[in-house]
Every structure is written in structure tokens, then in C-alpha cells.
Amino acid sequence: MSASLPSNSCYHCGSFILPGDSYELDLGGISRQFCCAGCMAIAQTIHGEGLEVFYARRAQSSDKPAAYLASNEIPASLAPYDDPSLLCRYTRPSGEDGNLETTLRLEKIRCAACVWLCEQHLRRIPGVKDVQINYVSQKVKAEFSPEQTSLARLLFEVERIGYEAWPFEPSLSIEKSKKERRQLLTRLGVAMLGMMQVMMYAWPSYVGDSDITAEYDLLLGWTSWVLTVPVMVYSAGPIFQAAWRSVASFRQTHMLGMDVPIALALALAFCAGTINLATGAGHGYFDSITMFVAFILAARYVELLARQDAQGGAEALAKQLPATCERVSNYPASLQVEIVPVINCNPGEVLRVPPGDVVPADGILIECESALDESLLTGESKPIDKKIGDRVYAGTHNILNPLLMRIDAVGQSTRIAGIASLLDQALQAKPLMVSLAEKWAGYFVGFLLLAAFLSSAIWLYVDPSRAWTVLVSVLVASCPCALSLAVPTAMAAAQGAVTKLGLLIVRGHVLEGLVKATDLVLDKTGTLTMGQPELTEVLIARPEFSRADALSLAASMEAGQKHPLALSLLRAAEADNLLLTTLTEPVSNLLGKGLSSGAYRLGSAAWTGAQQIAQEGQYGQVHLADDKGLIASFLFLDTPRAGVEKLLAAAASRKITVHLVSGDDPATVAWWAHEVGIDHFQGACSPEDKYHYIERLQKEGHFVWAIGDGINDAPLLARADVSIAVGAGAPLATAGADAILTASSLAPLAKSLLLADKTQMIIKENLIWALVYNLLAIPAAMMGWVNPWVAGIGMSLSSLAVTLNAWRLRKA
């Protein structure tokens, strides 16, 4: 690899090294440069285990010898991927059967036929349990049994059918994306230069300049031919390669890729033009060829930018983590720090995170309270105050004070890694509309080839001189690209947009399902409400006590308690800036009753001798008393989750019927339903009752969308047609949901509902545009009304229009 890299590139990841950021290390007697300490540590580990052939693998050419591909033995260049030191880096456990899961990046896939071939080929490998490929993200998510197959086998099998794959690594992926853009831009530049020059030489023939002699006209023709050759060989080279792979795999796929008609049209036009030039009869077509290649590459460059923008979510998350961190090795004896690569840190160690830095791992705050920006994980823009004992997450920004944390999760175990995995899973999931679009695009190519050759055959009888022109025009004018891109680009852009809102889509049918939803079923505690009681009223029973006196005394007794009502009293006292009362006696906790300290008692009505106060919708109540009787009663109410009004308003505008189904007592559920304006509600529901409630709605023909958060919501989420789990909820509920709300507010769901409608509208616009264009362009070309160069512009603009229309969703 080092031989092919410029001197200012990292030996491990290939990234550009900024001035002053270079790290150097002697490996195998050669001095290597690195962009960060993390890359340096990984390279040192790989060389230390004798796996330096790993880098040779990255540098080898994509053109494999026939003997290499024909052998069934895994080549030595791929063997290092099965070594445990690399295998654990690129795979993660999946399920309880000991299976592994990996994410691979693919190169050279161009259309539905490529995707189908790779999927089917990998699924035939013994031990491969599941394969999902997404064209937009160009990633493979594969689950396999390490006892039956290996990561190296997967990579080799992809190479054997003419594609390239490597384990997904953000730094390497970013560099590959840059390389892909540079290569396409260079090919586009060659095509544009060729087009401008050839069009200049063809200009006299367009204006009918009679002053040009035959010899000069012949010179211009052959000069145009010479300028067209690099456009055909270099600029259009990938088109011909993709078309050949598609034809070669037709027996397996029974589908032809979109590059087949394009390559056929270019080849026929170039051959016909060359023959006409050599014989001195007919048109040269070189101006049409160069113009067509330039326009198709321009459209593909815009498509590439849109695709890379859509797939950047997981990579952007992964890039948030720093390469190095400050480790406190001898805590608590010493606070001396050392700079170490994050990958060398382990659970249990203590890290120091200065203000302004990114937290490198998940852990527990053990010293120095601070405030952290967790917007990357939750969508919440306000800084979150962190106290001793609170959890801190990798990828969040420390804002106020330097803090000390004890690691409890690193690498793939961190929350940010889990979110990145969910983003990948969302892009791998293939909605029904995408599958149908890919299928019909493949059939369309077959129909197009038939129509082109049939129309050319008819013109051979009517006017043989126009048969070639019509054949090329029909092949060029059609646009299978627009049909193939209509749905995937819109879905990818929409998923990227909802991710920024704070909704992680796990399964691909969510946006389609939100459009179809007729009923919304909500859980109460933790979903409609926060499950965090707030003190709403203090009822004073004796005039010698003020509200401040009673609240200060109650908060003093609750100090150190973790019960939700205790925490609510402490928050209320802090909000009123009250000083806690000094108690003369220690506080005792009597299970089922409350707290006591000397003459004071704080707890249930029965224990304190108070009368239970009836209040609809309340979360709970506690009473404060002494030897003389009741002092005060404290009433608590649950707090509604932010954004409830926006979600219910969005549902009402779509005529979605909202249901509140909860395990709380019926009176409380009824009060909350009336409070927020929900007409259909049911309380005292067990998990089975919630399941059957949704089942009844579905039997009546309703399409149900459900939102929940607790373990008892798992059956509800599993039964619903579309399910969304609140991200702070139980892991089991999250695992069974189709999407996860990471934001604390429900407002993103209201926006996602509107975005789903907009996505559906844009998909329909794209499909209608692609269909109308082809219905007009193909017959016009068959009738001989469209020249090849005009057809080329139309075809390119059609693809461009579809991509740019889908790109509008990014701004939603």
C-alpha cells in the first residue's frame, strides 16, 4: 500500500496527513507515517502479529488473473481477515447461535442486476444465514456461522463474480469515497474536453460550410475519431465493464443492467461512425458519442454525490470518536494522565475528558460534575447536566468542567456504535417499493433492447440509411436509470432526514407504513407522559407552617432517596432555592409506610393519619406529620412528554384515530385521555390485553402504528404494522421496534409523518416522470424524430431530474 500512496498519506487508513499532525513509526525496517496514534497502534499490532499482508491486500489491483478467480482456495492475500485479531475488529456477535455479523463495502455495482447477483451468490455459500445489499449505500450486511464459513471466504466469493468488497471501516470508506469522486470527475473532464473539441470540428457540417475541401473534411473526421477514442476507452470504460458483467451473469440473474443498452448504443455508434469515415459515406456520430458520454457521466456524478450524502450518517457518527484520550493510570493515588490510543483502553480504566473534548467511551462519571452536549445521540440541543454516578456516552461533547469517568463500554459495545449499526441496518432494509422498482427496471431493459432492434429492422425495409440512427437513438433515448433511481434515492434521502430529526429507522417499511396508518396506539407512562412526577400542589394543614417550611422539611427527610416522588420533592426545593432543614434525628425508612426522623413522619396517608385526597390523574401523594398531627400534603402529577400536541395535531390532520392503551388504573388513563384530547382509551391493560387490542383493530381492516417504551410494550410493538420505541425505554421494546425515537420529544414523529407523505409524493413524481419520459422518448426515437445526441441529452437530464428531486428531501 505504501508504494501507491503519496508521502503525505497515512500508512494505515490512507487519509491525508495535516501539517504538524504526523506520527512516525519504524515497521519492518521502513519508516511509516500515520495521521493519528490510533492508526499507528493498529498498524503496530498488525505487523507485530505477522499480518502485514493485510496492507498488500488493500493495494492490489482490481483486475484479478483468471487462475486467481478459478481456484476455490482462499488466496493468501485474504487469509489475514480470518485471524482473530482482525476478525473481532470487523465482525460482531449476532443472535444466540454463535453467528457473526459483518458490514462490507461493495464496489462496481451499478444496478438491480448487480445487487441480485451478489445477494444470490453469497446466499449459496454454506454457513451464510442472511445477506442484505443496498444499492444506495453500497453496503452488504451479512450474517454467517464462523464454524461453516469465514470473512475471508465472503470477500473472495464477491471477487470471483467480478466485484470488489472490503470490511467497512469509516476512515477507509471516506478515502474510497473521495477516490471514487475524483475518478468519476476525471472521466467526466476527459469526456467534456473531447465533446467540446469534436463539436467544434463538426460545426462546419452543421452550418453547411461549402468552402471546406474534401481533404480538410476528412482530416477533421479522423481528428474527431482520435479524440473520441479516449472518451470511449477511458471515460466510458466502466460502462462497458458493467455491461459485460451483466451479460455474463444473465444466466443467473435473468436480468440485464441499465448499462447494457448504453454500452450497446455507444459501441454501435462508434463502429458505424468509423465505417462511414473509412468508406467516406454517412455520418460520423462522434459528436453524438462524446456529448452523450459527457452528459451521462455528469448525471452519474450528481447521483454519486447524492448517494454518498445519503450513506454518510453512520460514517459521520463513527468519525465523532477521538483517536486518542487522556488515561489516568494510577487513579485515585495520582491524577497524572497519559495520552493513549482509545483502542488500547479497557473497561474499568479511568479517563479524564477536558472541556471541549469528545467523550471517547461509555462510562460512569466519578469526579467533577459537568454539562454534556448529547444532541448527536438524542437530538436534544440543550446541554445535559451530569452529576456523580450519571452515565456519559461516547461521541458526546464535554462543555463545562474537566471530568473523570470510569469506562464500562468501548468500541462496538458503545451506544454510538449501536446507533451506527442501526443506521446501517436501516439502509440495508429493502422496502417493497424499492424491490418492485428494481424488478421492473430489469424487465424494462429487456423490453428496450427488443424495441430498439425491432424498430431498426422495420427501418431497414422503409429507409435503410436511417436504420442505424434509429437503433442508436432508441437505445440512448430510453432511461432505465431514472426508473432504477426513482425509489432508492428518495428513500435514502428521507431516511437521512428523519435520522437528523432524532428517529432511527431500523426496518425499511416504516415510511411506507406511516403513509398507510389509520390508527395510532399510544402507551401512557414513558410515552405519552415522561413517567417523572412533578410536585403540583402543597396543601398546608396548620397555619404555623408556610409552604417553604413544609417543603424544606420534607426535602430534608428525602435527601439521598431515589424514589421518583423523593426526587420530585428535591427538585422542587432546589427550584425554590430552599435551604434544607437540619434534622436532629437520623432518617429511618419504613418499608411500605415512609420515612421518620424523630417526631416527623413523611409517607402514606394511613401511616401519617391523614385523609387520602382525591384528585384525577395524579401520580401520587405523600403527607408530612408530627406528634401534633398533619402538617402538609404534597400532590404529584406526571408530566406530559414534549411534542405530544404536535404529534396529535399531525395525526388529526391525517385523520388517524388515536388510542391510549395503558396498564395504569382506568380513572387515571381516562383523565389523561381527556387532558390531551384522545377519544379512544382503555386502562388496566395487561401486555396481552394491549396485543389483543391491536389485533382487533387489524381484523377490522385498520393499519396500526404503535408507540411504546416498556418491556410490557414489547408484544404491542411486535403486533403493530409499524412500531416505534422511545429510545430511553427498555432494550427488549427497542429490539422489537421498527424505529427508535432517540429524541426526548415526540415532535420528530409529527415531522416524520409529514416527511413520509412528502417522500411518497416525490417517489410518485419520480416514477411518473420516468414513465412519461420513456413513453414519449422511445416512440419518438422509433419514428426517427430524435437524433442520437438529442436523445443522449434527454436521457441524462431524465436521470438528473430524478436524483435532484429526491435530493430535496434532505432539506425537510
Side-chain angles (χ1 to χ4, degrees), residues 531-535 558 561-571 619 622 636 638:
Q532 296 177 353
E534 292 296 331
L535 180 64
E558 293 285 13
Q561 302 296 321
K562 298 299 182 183
H563 189 278
L565 297 184
L567 297 176
S568 179
L569 282 171
L570 291 168
R571 284 197 299 271
Y619 185 96
V622 293
F636 301 86
D638 203 347

Side-chain angles (χ1 to χ4, degrees), residues 439-475:
K439 177 182 177 182
W440 286 108
Y443 292 148
F444 176 76
V445 173
F447 160 77
L448 168 64
L449 294 174
L450 181 64
F453 284 104
L454 183 61
S455 58
S456 179
I458 294 173
W459 275 100
L460 275 174
Y461 288 97
V462 177
D463 185 356
S465 65
R466 302 186 64 184
W468 276 101
T469 304
V470 169
L471 176 61
V472 174
S473 296
V474 173
L475 291 172

Side-chain angles (χ1 to χ4, degrees), residues 16-332:
F16 179 77
I17 300 176
L18 297 174
D21 288 346
S22 177
Y23 291 75
E24 288 192 16
L25 182 68
D26 187 88
L27 294 175
I30 302 175
S31 179
R32 307 291 189 182
Q33 285 189 316
F34 301 89
C35 64
C36 64
C39 286
M40 183 173 68
I42 296 171
Q44 190 173 15
T45 301
I46 291 173
H47 274 263
E49 305 221 359
L51 302 176
E52 55 270 19
V53 72
F54 169 80
Y55 295 105
R57 149 69 186 146
R58 290 185 174 181
Q60 68 182 166
S61 169
S62 59
D63 298 324
K64 303 295 188 301
Y68 174 92
L69 300 177
S71 171
N72 197 43
E73 296 295 325
I74 296 176
S77 59
L78 294 179
Y81 283 109
D82 289 337
D83 187 278
S85 62
L86 286 182
L87 186 65
C88 66
R89 178 181 176 86
Y90 295 121
T91 61
R92 50 195 174 274
S94 176
E96 299 178 357
D97 301 327
N99 293 337
L100 297 177
E101 188 177 84
T102 186
T103 301
L104 310 177
R105 264 303 291 274
L106 272 182
E107 268 192 348
K108 300 182 179 179
I109 61 170
R110 291 295 313 163
C111 62
C114 302
V115 170
W116 188 94
L117 177 61
C118 288
E119 280 186 351
Q120 297 305 312
H121 183 69
L122 290 175
R123 281 180 177 148
R124 290 193 179 103
I125 302 172
V128 173
K129 306 300 181 183
D130 185 40
V131 177
Q132 294 178 347
I133 300 178
N134 182 268
Y135 166 70
V136 174
S137 66
Q138 290 197 333
K139 288 181 186 174
V140 184
K141 182 181 177 184
E143 181 183 347
F144 64 94
S145 169
E147 297 177 356
Q148 295 176 274
T149 189
S150 66
L151 177 59
R153 169 62 64 183
L154 299 183
L155 298 174
F156 181 52
E157 292 298 332
V158 171
E159 290 186 354
R160 292 178 71 179
I161 54 174
Y163 301 89
E164 294 284 344
W166 68 91
F168 172 69
E169 190 176 28
S171 58
L172 183 60
S173 176
I174 294 164
E175 188 63 26
K176 288 280 187 179
S177 297
K178 291 179 181 177
K179 181 181 177 182
E180 190 177 6
R181 288 198 303 271
R182 284 196 302 267
Q183 287 182 340
L184 184 52
L185 199 58
T186 304
R187 295 182 195 276
L188 174 60
V190 171
M192 292 290 288
L193 289 173
M195 177 194 72
M196 290 186 291
Q197 202 67 29
V198 172
M199 287 295 292
M200 184 178 69
Y201 294 150
W203 182 253
S205 64
Y206 287 122
V207 298
D209 193 342
S210 58
D211 294 336
I212 296 180
T213 62
E215 293 81 2
Y216 191 64
D217 189 49
L218 186 63
L219 176 62
L220 291 178
W222 281 109
T223 305
S224 298
W225 183 89
V226 170
L227 290 169
T228 305
V229 168
V231 175
M232 288 287 290
V233 174
Y234 177 71
S235 297
I239 297 175
F240 287 104
Q241 292 172 1
W244 175 251
R245 281 197 304 271
S246 181
V247 172
S249 60
F250 180 73
R251 284 186 179 180
Q252 295 172 285
T253 63
H254 301 294
M255 293 193 327
L256 290 173
M258 67 178 75
D259 283 327
V260 172
I262 297 173
L264 190 58
L266 288 172
L268 291 175
F270 185 75
C271 291
T274 303
I275 293 171
N276 290 343
L277 181 61
T279 59
H283 188 64
Y285 299 118
F286 303 124
D287 51 343
S288 300
I289 291 171
T290 52
M291 181 179 293
F292 173 56
V293 172
F295 274 92
I296 191 68
L297 291 183
R300 289 189 176 182
Y301 184 72
V302 175
E303 175 208 335
L304 176 66
L305 294 179
R307 174 158 47 83
Q308 291 184 351
D309 180 73
Q311 75 191 39
E315 295 168 17
L317 285 172
K319 284 194 296 182
Q320 298 298 319
L321 299 182
T324 61
C325 61
E326 297 183 6
R327 183 170 63 188
V328 185
S329 302
N330 297 318
Y331 181 85

Side-chain angles (χ1 to χ4, degrees), residues 298-606:
R300 289 189 176 182
Y301 184 72
V302 175
E303 175 208 335
L304 176 66
L305 294 179
R307 174 158 47 83
Q308 291 184 351
D309 180 73
Q311 75 191 39
E315 295 168 17
L317 285 172
K319 284 194 296 182
Q320 298 298 319
L321 299 182
T324 61
C325 61
E326 297 183 6
R327 183 170 63 188
V328 185
S329 302
N330 297 318
Y331 181 85
S334 170
L335 296 181
Q336 186 70 30
V337 300
E338 58 176 340
I339 307 297
V340 297
V342 174
I343 60 170
N344 288 350
C345 296
N346 297 301
E349 294 180 343
V350 175
L351 302 181
R352 179 183 182 274
V353 183
D357 279 15
V358 175
V359 178
D362 288 2
I364 304 296
L365 181 63
I366 58 175
E367 275 195 35
C368 305
E369 297 179 350
S370 186
L372 273 70
D373 179 1
E374 296 187 346
S375 57
L376 183 73
L377 302 179
T378 65
E380 174 60 57
S381 58
K382 295 180 180 178
I384 307 298
D385 291 332
K386 295 290 181 178
K387 296 181 172 59
I388 306 302
D390 287 350
R391 287 192 60 82
V392 293
Y393 298 102
T396 59
H397 284 78
N398 184 22
I399 297 176
L400 286 184
N401 306 313
L403 61 85
L404 294 180
M405 58 172 286
R406 191 180 303 278
I407 300 174
D408 64 6
V410 293
Q412 292 301 310
S413 303
T414 59
R415 187 179 181 190
I416 194 172
I419 292 176
S421 178
L422 286 174
L423 284 176
D424 277 340
Q425 185 175 339
L427 287 174
Q428 305 305 333
K430 193 172 296 182
L432 178 62
M433 291 188 69
V434 174
S435 300
L436 289 175
E438 290 178 348
K439 177 182 177 182
W440 286 108
Y443 292 148
F444 176 76
V445 173
F447 160 77
L448 168 64
L449 294 174
L450 181 64
F453 284 104
L454 183 61
S455 58
S456 179
I458 294 173
W459 275 100
L460 275 174
Y461 288 97
V462 177
D463 185 356
S465 65
R466 302 186 64 184
W468 276 101
T469 304
V470 169
L471 176 61
V472 174
S473 296
V474 173
L475 291 172
V476 170
S478 64
C479 195
C481 308
L483 284 174
S484 290
L485 295 172
V487 181
T489 51
M491 294 299 293
Q495 287 184 357
V498 296
T499 299
K500 293 175 184 175
L501 293 176
L503 180 68
L504 296 181
I505 294 178
V506 179
R507 296 177 179 88
H509 70 279
V510 171
L511 290 175
E512 293 179 39
L514 291 182
V515 175
K516 300 177 185 176
T518 59
D519 292 73
L520 169 59
V521 176
L522 288 168
D523 176 47
K524 187 186 82 67
T525 306
T527 303
L528 181 71
T529 64
M530 295 295 291
Q532 296 177 353
E534 292 296 331
L535 180 64
T536 56
E537 195 170 359
V538 180
L539 303 177
I540 302 299
R542 289 166 30 199
E544 63 265 30
F545 286 90
S546 66
R547 180 185 185 279
D549 294 335
L551 182 55
S552 174
L553 182 56
S556 300
M557 296 180 69
E558 293 285 13
Q561 302 296 321
K562 298 299 182 183
H563 189 278
L565 297 184
L567 297 176
S568 179
L569 282 171
L570 291 168
R571 284 197 299 271
E574 184 179 356
D576 290 351
N577 296 317
L578 299 179
L579 296 175
L580 297 185
T581 304
T582 303
L583 300 173
T584 57
E585 299 287 339
V587 177
S588 300
N589 193 336
L590 303 177
L591 189 64
K593 296 180 179 180
L595 305 174
S596 68
S597 174
Y600 296 112
R601 287 168 293 157
L602 179 68
S604 65

